[in-house]
Amino acid sequence: MDNTVVIEDIKKMCCVLPLSTDTAGESPPDSLTPNKSKVTSAYCSAWKPLLLIVPLRLGINQINPVYVDAFKECFKMPQSLGALGGKPNNAYYFIGFLGDELIFLDPHTTQTFVDTEENGMVDDQTFHCLQSPQRMNILNLDPSVALGFFCKEEKDFDNWCSIVQKEILKENLRMFELVQKHPSHWPPFVPPAKPEVTTTGAEFIDTTEQLEEFDLEEDFEILSV
């Protein structure tokens, strides 16, 4: 929320507490600094790998040049997975930069269907982008972007926090904020739960009458095959 990453909330989600009676009922210490937000082994016995996606708005109609340097710094982080963005009617996957140009892949490529059950082997050739990477000027980027980061271990997340403190939060106009504690004016943090799966496969609609039970917000054309 509010372009803010909360260390405390992420630690609650990713930190697996030990089951020993010695530490039962205990919680991680409150006096954690942003640079060394460590949860010692006495409190955190394991770490769930973290995929962190930070959605941002870096301008009104176009990207504000004041964010350019910080945006490029994100690609240098060892935890970076790139960024999602593009321009009107064109969504791209950005993987790096060269000078003032962003390097991107276009994921919207029609690929050959892969039958994963034919012989038990999976040909992953069509799982990859077959086109060469392309480039675009960073100022042509739509201001709505999403940054991606992956922290396999807790030390990776702590290192990411340190880099953000050093490279991102030094700017006067920050792309996003990094805070230690859950803001008091926010709703209480509730870790997301795994969705309940009620089916083992796709549900097919045999007749158009079955569509009546759905609340459709748009008009669709039913094609007979």
Side-chain angles (χ1 to χ4, degrees):
M1 293 178 60
D2 299 335
N3 292 354
T4 303
V5 178
V6 183
I7 296 176
E8 180 184 52
D9 294 347
I10 290 178
K11 294 272 185 174
K12 287 181 179 179
M13 284 197 301
C14 296
C15 215
V16 179
L17 300 180
L19 299 178
S20 63
T21 56
D22 294 337
T23 58
E26 296 184 19
S27 58
D30 293 333
S31 56
L32 299 178
T33 61
N35 289 331
K36 296 183 178 180
S37 52
K38 292 284 186 180
V39 178
T40 62
S41 58
Y43 293 93
C44 187
S45 60
W47 176 267
K48 299 177 183 177
L50 169 68
L51 172 61
L52 177 62
I53 299 178
V54 186
L56 301 171
R57 182 80 179 181
L58 303 180
I60 301 178
N61 297 319
Q62 60 184 17
I63 187 171
N64 191 324
V66 300
Y67 297 120
V68 168
D69 290 339
F71 186 72
K72 292 194 293 186
E73 283 293 333
C74 292
F75 291 101
K76 299 180 183 180
M77 299 179 184
Q79 299 85 0
S80 175
L81 294 180
L84 303 176
K87 49 189 178 181
N89 301 319
N90 291 277
Y92 300 129
Y93 173 41
F94 296 92
I95 58 176
F97 70 93
L98 180 63
D100 290 329
E101 291 186 315
L102 295 173
I103 303 173
F104 68 90
L105 299 173
D106 186 352
H108 304 94
T109 303
T110 303
Q111 302 278 28
T112 305
F113 166 73
V114 177
D115 187 354
T116 59
E117 300 180 359
E118 184 177 356
N119 54 12
M121 301 296 291
V122 177
D123 181 7
D124 65 354
Q125 180 180 1
T126 62
F127 293 2
H128 304 278
C129 186
L130 302 180
Q131 298 179 350
S132 300
Q134 304 176 60
R135 294 189 292 181
M136 66 176 290
N137 190 288
I138 192 170
L139 294 180
N140 294 333
L141 181 68
D142 187 89
S144 294
V145 299
L147 305 174
F149 305 96
F150 177 68
C151 302
K152 184 178 181 180
E153 300 178 357
E154 183 184 5
K155 63 181 181 181
D156 298 325
F157 178 66
D158 292 333
N159 176 256
W160 179 84
C161 292
S162 298
I163 298 175
V164 169
Q165 287 271 344
K166 181 180 178 181
E167 301 296 340
I168 305 300
L169 302 187
K170 68 179 181 180
E171 304 291 341
N172 292 329
L173 291 177
R174 302 171 176 177
M175 288 200 307
F176 60 89
E177 297 287 346
L178 177 67
V179 299
Q180 179 63 39
K181 292 291 186 179
H182 186 89
S184 58
H185 62 280
W186 281 14
F189 174 71
V190 179
K194 291 184 178 180
E196 295 184 3
V197 180
T198 57
T199 62
T200 57
E203 295 182 350
F204 295 95
I205 297 178
D206 297 324
T207 63
T208 57
E209 285 75 13
Q210 291 179 263
L211 291 174
E212 296 178 357
E213 61 185 272
F214 296 97
D215 183 15
L216 301 180
E217 298 180 353
E218 300 178 9
D219 293 329
F220 294 89
E221 180 180 359
I222 306 300
L223 301 178
S224 300
V225 180

